[in-house]
Amino acid sequence: MRGSRATGRRLAGAAVAGAALSGLVWWVLPDEAVYSPWWTQVLGWPAALLLRVDPVQRWIGGGRLDNRLWLRLTIAGVLFAGTIATTGVSFLFPVFAALVASVHLQWSGARAWRPCAAMTLLLSAALQVAVQLGWSPSHLPRSLDLVASVVTLVLSLLLIGNVAVLAAQREAETAALDVERRSRHDALLHAATHDALTGRLNRAGLQEHFTRPPGDAAPRGTGPRGTGPHGAGAVAPEVDAVGGVAVVYVDLDHFKPINDRYGHAAGDLLLRLAADRMAALLRPGDGLGRLGGDEFVVMLATGDAAVVAEVAARADAALRAPFDLDGAVVRVSASIGTALSVEPATLDELLRRADAAMYTVKAQRRERTP
């Protein structure tokens, strides 16, 4: 409603301004200097100014201000040229054409300068041909009208060129700001979903990966609009031939003594190297996250128990290999628990089950240790 009212006000304002301009032309020029019927001025100037209103230009451009540039320029140029020619001041047309060009450069961007310059040059030349052949009236002698037209044309083309340069600079600045905004948005999004130390997913990132794996248009098990029968955070068994989803919960053993002995920098390096080793085990569609401390989660897009057991075994073997912490060679092991589901399940549910399985493994190892 507000938009329609604003559009109506702009249209009414343009019509009133055009009517005032046509009245001014008739008031300023003496009676014997008017070469056209009154209706050409009364209708011409308001119509020309109405073309300045955005909704009119959008209508001509098929809904866009940067579309059908030649058509919009031609309509505006011919209307101005015809209205100005009937007043006998054709030499002033380049000035009005430059104003039209400046507006279209704002709407259509710096690329519009060539069509704007061509429209100004062609219509100015056409008007002068009409004046020199006596087809169009002029308040000035024909020779003087030609000189005045050339001068105003040169100045108008210079103005169009300068406005085009400014438009190009503005577009470059806008593009740079857009790139910067996208970069900041991506950085904030990455920080919100990734662990700062290892660069792997955090809990929020794991949840997002769980409900919307890379390449999926919508969360698994949901409709195209992100809603479905399984509820928020649920996963339908449609990932592979077996279906389902699984998590492998990994807790590094003996991490605290290494961290205390070699320092936090070495401990951080150990966590990054461990994350890199586990990341090398991932398949397309899988995910790796760090929940905090020395706890990691491998998310698998499968419900096949054999595949889950194989990944857990490979992760265990990868983590048992020695780590070089800037000259200090250390060894760690891992307590690993798994959980899988071929039915819709939540991430929290699977993490609880995998965490419980991991602590069972850790307790069994302690019992075997004398």
Side-chain angles (χ1 to χ4, degrees):
M1 180 65 71
R2 292 181 179 178
S4 60
R5 290 179 179 177
T7 299
R9 286 195 296 269
R10 288 195 294 267
L11 292 172
V16 171
L21 182 58
S22 63
L24 179 63
V25 170
W26 275 80
W27 180 69
V28 171
L29 296 178
D31 293 341
E32 63 274 9
V34 177
Y35 299 101
S36 62
W38 63 270
W39 55 267
T40 60
Q41 300 300 316
V42 173
L43 297 179
W45 291 110
L49 291 182
L50 280 173
L51 292 176
R52 174 61 180 86
V53 182
D54 288 6
V56 175
Q57 288 293 318
R58 290 184 187 276
W59 177 74
I60 299 175
R64 293 172 50 186
L65 286 175
D66 60 346
N67 195 29
R68 300 176 184 173
L69 176 60
W70 272 108
L71 176 61
R72 294 186 291 114
L73 277 175
T74 300
I75 293 175
V78 170
L79 188 55
F80 267 109
T83 305
I84 291 173
T86 59
T87 62
V89 287
S90 298
F91 61 91
L92 291 179
F93 170 76
V95 177
F96 287 90
L99 297 177
V100 171
S102 299
V103 173
H104 281 78
L105 284 168
Q106 296 177 12
W107 283 328
S108 302
R111 66 179 181 83
W113 78 266
R114 290 184 179 87
C116 290
M119 180 272 296
T120 302
L121 183 61
L122 292 175
L123 290 179
S124 297
L127 285 177
Q128 271 308 302
V129 169
V131 169
Q132 298 304 317
L133 294 177
W135 298 343
S136 177
S138 175
H139 291 294
L140 300 178
R142 293 178 182 176
S143 58
L144 185 58
D145 193 294
L146 177 61
V147 173
S149 180
V150 171
V151 172
T152 56
L153 177 60
V154 171
L155 294 176
S156 298
L157 292 177
L158 290 175
L159 175 61
I160 292 173
N162 288 332
V163 174
V165 170
L166 294 176
Q169 292 176 349
R170 183 176 65 251
E171 291 171 3
E173 293 172 356
T174 301
L177 288 175
D178 289 341
V179 170
E180 182 179 357
R181 280 194 291 267
R182 285 195 297 269
S183 177
R184 290 182 178 180
H185 176 269
D186 293 342
L188 290 174
L189 182 61
H190 186 274
T193 56
H194 288 74
D195 173 54
L197 176 62
T198 63
R200 307 302 170 179
L201 297 173
N202 58 18
R203 182 176 287 273
L206 285 169
Q207 181 65 47
E208 179 181 340
H209 183 87
F210 185 79
T211 56
R212 190 185 295 267
D216 280 12
R220 287 177 287 174
T222 67
R225 294 184 180 274
T227 59
H230 305 296
V235 177
E238 58 185 45
V239 179
D240 57 16
V242 176
V245 65
V247 296
V248 178
Y249 203 109
V250 180
D251 180 77
L252 298 183
D253 299 324
H254 314 302
F255 173 74
K256 188 176 184 302
I258 294 175
N259 197 51
D260 294 340
R261 178 179 179 181
Y262 296 102
H264 292 292
D268 291 346
L269 177 58
L270 174 59
L271 292 175
R272 289 194 293 269
L273 293 175
D276 292 342
R277 290 186 183 182
M278 286 185 284
L281 307 177
L282 299 182
R283 309 166 306 162
D286 295 340
L288 171 64
R290 175 175 176 243
L291 296 182
D294 56 357
E295 297 179 337
F296 294 88
V297 170
V298 179
M299 187 178 299
L300 303 175
T302 183
D304 190 334
V307 173
V308 176
E310 179 185 358
V311 172
R314 293 175 62 193
D316 182 64
L319 294 173
R320 288 182 182 275
F323 288 90
D324 185 355
L325 306 181
D326 292 334
V329 178
V330 301
R331 293 178 178 272
V332 298
S333 59
S335 297
I336 300 177
T338 64
L340 63 88
S341 177
V342 293
E343 298 294 335
T346 64
L347 176 61
D348 288 340
E349 177 186 349
L350 289 175
L351 288 177
R352 283 194 298 268
R353 290 165 50 190
D355 184 48
M358 182 270 295
Y359 273 105
T360 299
V361 171
K362 189 180 289 287
Q364 292 172 350
R365 285 183 177 180
R366 290 173 180 173
E367 291 177 357
R368 292 195 299 265
T369 302

